[in-house]
């Protein structure tokens, strides 16, 4: 299982919507019209996905690099 996108601290967060515990889940994210699947902390109750700002910025930079390489 690829856990590189989840730091242990991320799973200590609670869902901002319903207060449920976040669990790692494969999530499809769309960015600049391209879809990619990554593992992110997700609320199993309501489906809210927690994307921290640093993770989002790092992941988006990574995706931009992938797109540039094509
Ligand atoms: Zn929730």
């Amino acid at each position: 299982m690829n856990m590189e996108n989840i730091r242990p601290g991320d799973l200590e967060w609670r869902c901002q919507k319903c207060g449920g515990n976040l669990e790692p889940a494969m999530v499809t994210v769309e960015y600049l019209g391209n879809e990619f699947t990554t593992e992110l902390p997700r609320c199993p109750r309501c489906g809210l996905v927690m994307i921290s700002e640093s993770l989002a910025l790092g992941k988006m930079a990574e995706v931009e690099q992938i797109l540039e390489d094509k």
Side-chain angles (χ1 to χ4, degrees):
M1 194 187 280
N2 181 4
M3 293 287 284
E4 66 178 306
N5 293 323
I6 301 182
R7 292 160 301 176
D10 288 343
L11 294 177
E12 289 169 12
W13 286 71
R14 293 255 173 162
C15 174
Q16 295 164 2
K17 231 172 160 184
C18 72
N21 289 311
L22 300 177
E23 291 179 357
M26 292 308 291
V27 177
T28 301
V29 184
E30 195 181 315
Y31 178 67
L32 292 177
N34 290 272
E35 284 192 347
F36 62 95
T37 304
T38 188
E39 195 163 45
L40 293 171
R42 193 184 76 116
C43 174
R45 276 205 250 174
C46 70
L48 185 94
V49 177
M50 211 279 299
I51 304 179
S52 65
E53 197 176 326
S54 58
L55 169 63
L57 292 175
K59 195 67 200 169
M60 293 316 163
E62 193 180 304
V63 171
E64 281 177 352
Q65 218 160 31
I66 292 168
L67 295 177
E68 279 172 13
D69 287 346
K70 275 182 185 172

